[in-house]
Amino acid sequence: MWFFVRDPVRDFPFELSPEPAEGSPPGPWALHRGRKKATGSPVSIFVYDVKPGAEEQTQVAKAAFKRLKTLRHPNILAYIDGLETDKCLHAVTEAVTPLGVYLKTRAEAGGPKELELSWGLHQIVKALSFLVNDCSLIHNNVCMAAVFVDRAGEWKLGGLDYMYSAQGNGGAPPCKGIPELEQYDPPELADSSGRAAREKWSADMWRLGCLIWEVFNGPLPRAAALRNPGKIPKSLVPHYCELVGANPKMRPNPARFLQNCRAPGGFMNNRFVETNLFLEEIQIKEPAEKQKFFQELSKSLDSFPEDFCRHKVLPQLLTAFEFGNAGAVVLTPLFKVGKFLSAEEYQQKIIPVVVKMFSSTDRAMRIRLLQQMEQFIQYLDEPTVNTQIFPHVVHGFLDTNPAIREQTVKSMLLLAPKLNEANLNVELMKHFARLQAKDEQGPIRCNTTVCLGKIGSYLSASTRHRVLTSAFSRATKDPFAPSRVAGVLGFAATHNLYSMNDCAHKILPVLCGLTVDPEKSVRDQAFKAIRSFLSKLESVSEDPTQLAEVEKDVHAASSPGMGGAAASWAGWAVTGVSSLTSKLIRAHPTVAPGEPNVSQRPTPEGLPAPAPTPAPPTPTASGHWEAQEEGKDTAEDSSPADRWDDEDWGSLEEAESVLAQQDNWSTAGQASRAGQTSNPDHKSPESEWSSWEAEGSWEQGWQEPRPQEPPPEGTQLASEYNWGGPEPSDKGDPFADLLARREAGTQPRPDSWGDDNWDGLETESRQVRAELARKKREERRREMEAKRAEKKAAKGPMKLGTRKLD
């Protein structure tokens, strides 16, 4: 009969390296790197081989094995698993590196910071305090070889081989018999008489002083070297001297040593130690304390070690978002820590959280996600963007908060390259058409035009042909001057996407009409664009063989690189528009006086209400924009301004208090509109934007503004400005009568760009309805007054406190 004997070493669920790791501590144990067979996660394995004739050393190893299994503390080496046979002992712990090897590696990389060392020593002292004060145990082996560092930079106390009870019931302290370890023994142990008075912690605190000396100065050559502090920081020297004092009675308890070092100005009184202490107790902190901590954390992360941020701060941030309702405050430190991760780690740890955040109803979180999208967009794949991100982001186009609408528009610049055909060419264009036509905020309409010009190369050929010309033409009729500039520069930035016929019959007539615009900035950009398109037409006229080369991008498929041929035009186009928009938003957050009569949105609390009636830009605005453009035009003339990606979008962001008051993203009105938008079969007030040919599509232009009211007293007219001449002229401004011509309302020719009815029948019908409602209210008021008078006459006067009897 055969018997099969199982080999416990072979069945051990951990695999260890054949050779000991670098820096293996002196003593019976050898440190090996290992991994768990099932998961491949790294571990450290301490191995002791039982040798004949070394019974005493084997007993010490077995006692250390038992202590490691039973002692549990955050600052003591964590036991995972073990194996005990007649031939060997295997103790599996968390993956760690000996402190000596860690400090050597950090020194090669520039040396460890005092912040790291202060927290590491804090952890070792805290472990000693736990052993002495809570467990009545003497470690008896505190030195560099007994300290290990995990992947987060946390220091762990190990080397439990020679530990004994402080109460004396465990017998005499174990004999070390290793010179490398005995050099850390305090001088009073050499006194065989034992008459020196000492505390139970005195010997360990002496060894702690030796450890501090080695951390800052390197290996300890002899005990006499402790008299010279060397490189020990000045704030730590007084407390270090207490540890290595000749009188063991005067050495402080570990708890008091921590208290002294944490005093104001102490070595362990710094932001890094405070952050770690807060993270250790974060589960019992109040929500307000957590909010304040995460808000201030981002400022300190730059000075913290990278390993600490990756392996300690990041898990706490993820936990705080998942279970602690931390909200938007975790976003900034989360993305800051994300920079330390590899692409694979980012996909595993950050992206799932980001995707979940986009479905949040917290407005503050949504707007911060949009603002910081540039930091994580490269890690998002196309299916995730189209199915999990974009459906939530588009709700921002319908939000009543202008800041969210603006950030949503700007985020499309980053999302467009990853959107599919339906989302980019249908859904997004539908929202852009509505924003450009009906949004009451002029800067948002302007930025919508800018964004459309930048993503034009990603659109399909049919969408470009149907949308771009109509959209930019409509922008040139916007009463808001920067939007007109954006329309001109949009034409210039996408000039390679138009056929020669479109340039001649559709674009140039629109641009020529802007050469007499009241705003000088509009006229300047119009002349630049006209010269560009004319030069293209002229070159093709001179050499018709160039037609195919010039129109190669017109019918080409969407490609991010198609706009490269217009680099110089794109530079001045976008930079000019965005700088104007930025200035306007910061200086005039309210709606411009020349806003069209569009459907009014509910104005969020804390934001200025839009202007109730439309009016063209006042002459004062003309002078204001001219003054702002003088410096910019000079810079553009001196440089081609090839800066397509350097634009400043401006901002409509509000104070945090405003966002806090509007923390409910899904209001009743928004929910209904969002549902109508997501259901293409449902007809709603917004369904008129469902096709480009419907009312409100790109082909529908802006309403012509009403005749403006007389300007306030002291306001300069456009004709009174010097439009760039060397000195004032008596000939008058050739554009001075432009507004008068507009007010005259001359009938356009049937074949001109004035075919569209810009007067707006909707405005007239609204005025008629308002007048009828006013008359009804007046009639109702008269009827109520008559009834009250009749009732009063019938009853007669009544005295106070009496009751009229029938």
Side-chain angles (χ1 to χ4, degrees):
M1 180 178 294
W2 295 89
F3 294 94
F4 295 94
V5 180
R6 298 183 60 185
D7 185 357
V9 177
R10 181 183 303 174
D11 296 337
F12 195 50
F14 297 91
E15 184 179 30
L16 70 158
S17 60
E19 298 295 331
E22 180 185 1
S24 187
W29 295 92
L31 174 61
H32 293 255
R33 289 188 298 270
R35 64 181 182 87
K36 191 172 184 178
K37 294 178 180 179
T39 62
S41 56
V43 294
S44 291
I45 304 178
F46 291 83
V47 178
Y48 172 76
D49 293 324
V50 179
K51 298 177 182 179
E55 287 77 9
E56 183 177 357
Q57 196 175 38
T58 301
Q59 292 301 321
V60 170
K62 288 183 177 181
F65 185 79
K66 182 180 178 181
R67 295 284 190 191
L68 188 62
K69 287 172 48 175
T70 55
L71 285 174
R72 296 289 181 175
H73 189 268
N75 304 127
I76 293 179
L77 199 59
Y79 174 87
I80 297 177
D81 200 351
L83 173 66
E84 185 174 1
T85 68
D86 296 337
K87 296 181 179 180
C88 64
L89 291 175
H90 288 186
V92 182
T93 68
E94 56 187 320
V96 291
T97 303
L99 178 60
V101 177
Y102 175 80
L103 294 178
K104 181 181 178 181
T105 304
R106 295 290 291 152
E108 295 173 353
K113 300 178 181 179
E114 281 193 10
L115 293 178
E116 301 176 59
L117 301 180
S118 65
W119 174 241
L121 292 173
H122 184 284
Q123 293 176 294
I124 299 304
V125 178
K126 199 170 182 180
L128 287 177
S129 177
F130 166 74
L131 293 175
V132 171
N133 299 318
D134 298 335
C135 304
S136 294
L137 294 173
I138 306 301
H139 187 275
N140 197 33
N141 190 28
V142 180
C143 62
M144 185 82 74
V147 179
F148 303 89
V149 184
D150 67 6
R151 62 177 186 171
E154 304 278 276
W155 291 18
K156 308 286 185 175
L157 183 61
L160 310 182
D161 308 64
Y162 309 106
M163 184 177 292
Y164 65 96
S165 174
Q167 298 174 353
N169 53 9
C175 179
K176 298 178 182 177
I178 302 176
E180 293 89 339
L181 300 179
E182 290 180 346
Q183 67 172 339
Y184 300 108
D185 290 341
E188 62 267 17
L189 293 184
D191 185 4
S192 57
S193 62
R195 289 178 296 181
R198 58 178 181 267
E199 302 289 350
K200 59 182 179 180
W201 58 78
S202 298
D204 276 348
M205 297 308 287
W206 169 277
R207 298 184 182 98
L208 175 64
C210 298
L211 174 64
I212 293 175
W213 195 96
E214 288 191 318
V215 165
F216 291 99
N217 298 294
L220 180 65
R222 55 189 180 279
L226 296 173
R227 299 174 183 174
N228 181 15
K231 299 179 181 179
I232 297 177
K234 293 183 179 179
S235 58
L236 184 58
V237 169
H239 311 296
Y240 160 77
C241 293
E242 292 181 350
L243 299 179
V244 295
N247 186 356
K249 191 73 173 177
M250 300 301 295
R251 295 171 196 157
N253 184 285
R256 188 167 70 86
F257 178 82
L258 275 183
Q259 184 179 359
N260 295 339
C261 291
R262 290 278 296 140
F267 178 67
M268 298 179 184
N269 184 22
N270 54 62
R271 177 63 179 167
F272 188 55
V273 173
E274 292 172 359
T275 300
N276 279 279
L277 292 176
F278 189 95
L279 289 175
E280 288 184 350
E281 302 173 352
I282 193 170
Q283 303 301 333
I284 60 175
K285 296 293 184 180
E286 296 292 331
E289 294 178 298
K290 295 180 183 179
Q291 291 278 332
K292 182 180 179 181
F293 170 77
F294 287 124
Q295 287 175 351
E296 299 175 352
L297 178 61
S298 181
K299 305 175 185 177
S300 307
L301 287 177
D302 291 333
S303 60
F304 290 173
E306 179 179 328
D307 291 337
F308 168 77
C309 295
R310 292 173 56 194
H311 301 295
K312 189 167 184 180
V313 175
L314 179 60
Q316 292 292 347
L317 291 173
L318 299 178
T319 302
F321 170 75
E322 191 75 20
F323 306 107
N325 298 323
V329 293
V330 304
L331 287 178
T332 301
L334 180 65
F335 292 135
K336 209 164 190 177
V337 174
K339 296 178 181 178
F340 301 128
L341 303 179
S342 63
E344 183 179 356
E345 290 178 314
Y346 204 101
Q347 286 285 349
Q348 294 176 352
K349 298 179 180 180
I350 305 294
I351 293 303
V353 177
V354 170
V355 172
K356 188 174 181 179
M357 286 178 176
F358 270 106
S359 61
S360 171
T361 59
D362 184 359
R363 271 182 165 172
M365 177 175 292
R366 296 290 294 270
I367 197 169
R368 290 195 183 184
L369 277 173
L370 296 175
Q371 290 170 342
Q372 303 184 51
M373 185 178 290
E374 188 175 0
Q375 300 187 34
F376 58 84
I377 187 63
Q378 66 269 26
Y379 300 104
L380 295 174
D381 54 23
E382 294 185 8
T384 301
V385 171
N386 286 282
T387 60
Q388 302 182 59
I389 302 294
F390 184 76
H392 296 294
V393 172
V394 291
H395 293 309
F397 291 123
L398 304 173
D399 198 88
T400 57
N401 190 326
I404 294 181
R405 297 201 304 275
E406 184 209 25
Q407 290 296 336
T408 305
V409 170
K410 293 193 290 186
S411 68
M412 291 303 109
L413 182 61
L414 300 172
L415 291 177
K418 298 178 180 288
L419 294 180
N420 57 28
E421 177 78 14
N423 286 336
L424 178 62
N425 293 286
V426 179
E427 187 71 15
L428 179 58
M429 293 299 103
K430 184 168 59 178
H431 288 290
F432 270 22
R434 185 186 56 78
L435 285 177
Q436 198 195 36
K438 287 192 172 183
D439 198 287
E440 67 269 16
Q441 295 289 338
I444 293 181
R445 300 196 304 271
C446 178
N447 274 338
T448 301
T449 304
V450 172
C451 187
L452 182 62
K454 297 192 70 172
I455 69 173
S457 60
Y458 298 105
L459 302 176
S460 64
S462 60
T463 303
R464 293 198 303 264
H465 179 73
R466 185 177 72 252
V467 170
L468 294 184
T469 305
S470 300
F472 296 142
S473 297
R474 183 168 63 184
T476 60
K477 298 178 176 63
D478 193 329
F480 187 58
S483 291
R484 299 201 296 274
V485 177
V488 176
L489 302 180
F491 276 129
T494 57
H495 67 95
N496 61 312
L497 303 179
Y498 308 111
S499 66
M500 292 298 99
N501 284 333
D502 287 345
C503 293
H505 296 100
K506 295 183 179 180
I507 299 176
L508 280 176
V510 176
L511 296 177
C512 289
L514 295 175
T515 57
V516 291
D517 192 274
E519 300 290 337
K520 186 177 186 299
S521 59
V522 179
R523 299 196 301 271
D524 290 344
Q525 302 297 351
F527 281 121
K528 289 182 181 180
I530 289 172
R531 285 193 291 269
S532 172
F533 283 104
L534 285 178
S535 64
K536 288 182 61 176
L537 291 171
E538 186 177 1
S539 63
V540 174
S541 176
E542 294 293 335
D543 185 7
T545 59
Q546 297 182 9
L547 180 62
E549 177 65 20
V550 172
E551 294 186 351
K552 65 178 181 179
D553 294 335
V554 175
H555 301 291
S558 60
S559 171
M562 286 174 54
S568 60
W569 278 100
W572 64 256
V574 178
T575 303
V577 150
S578 59
S579 62
L580 287 174
T581 308
S582 174
K583 293 175 184 177
L584 175 82
I585 294 171
R586 295 188 181 110
H588 305 283
T590 57
V591 63
E595 292 295 315
N597 189 9
V598 296
S599 58
Q600 296 296 322
R601 294 179 180 272
T603 304
E605 183 181 354
L607 287 179
T613 57
T618 63
T620 304
S622 174
H624 173 70
W625 285 105
E626 177 185 1
Q628 291 186 348
E629 281 296 293
E630 289 176 358
K632 182 180 71 61
D633 291 341
T634 303
E636 291 173 353
D637 293 338
S638 61
S639 171
D642 188 8
R643 298 165 292 156
W644 174 259
D645 294 320
D646 294 345
E647 78 284 3
D648 175 16
W649 284 84
S651 175
L652 278 174
E653 298 173 24
E654 302 162 297
E656 290 292 332
S657 60
V658 177
L659 290 177
Q661 295 170 4
Q662 302 170 345
D663 56 0
N664 184 10
W665 169 272
S666 302
T667 59
Q670 291 172 332
S672 61
R673 285 184 291 177
Q676 294 164 1
T677 303
S678 60
N679 185 2
D681 298 329
H682 183 83
K683 299 299 182 182
S684 68
E686 301 294 339
S687 62
E688 55 188 351
W689 303 102
S690 59
S691 65
W692 298 112
E693 289 76 16
E695 179 185 359
S697 66
W698 291 106
E699 284 77 8
Q700 179 183 3
W702 290 95
Q703 298 174 359
E704 185 71 20
R706 298 178 183 175
Q708 69 176 31
E709 299 178 358
E713 184 178 357
T715 303
Q716 280 187 299
L717 298 176
S719 58
E720 298 175 14
Y721 280 89
N722 181 11
W723 291 88
E727 58 185 15
S729 173
D730 298 334
K731 296 181 180 180
D733 188 357
F735 305 103
D737 60 340
L738 179 64
L739 293 177
R741 295 178 187 176
R742 286 193 174 187
E743 294 172 1
T746 57
Q747 295 295 329
R749 300 190 307 274
D751 58 344
S752 69
W753 276 88
D755 292 345
D756 296 329
N757 181 15
W758 304 108
D759 295 334
L761 297 177
E762 184 182 354
T763 303
E764 297 178 2
S765 61
R766 188 181 294 116
Q767 293 174 349
V768 172
R769 290 196 299 269
E771 182 66 21
L772 291 176
R774 187 186 63 80
K775 290 181 180 180
K776 289 182 180 180
R777 289 195 301 271
E778 186 67 22
E779 292 176 0
R780 178 64 176 168
R781 185 182 61 81
R782 294 196 192 100
E783 291 177 1
M784 295 298 296
E785 290 178 354
K787 289 182 179 179
R788 283 196 293 268
E790 183 180 355
K791 186 181 296 186
K792 185 176 181 181
K795 293 183 178 181
M798 296 180 62
K799 293 184 180 180
L800 183 65
T802 63
R803 181 179 180 183
K804 186 176 180 180
L805 301 176
D806 295 333

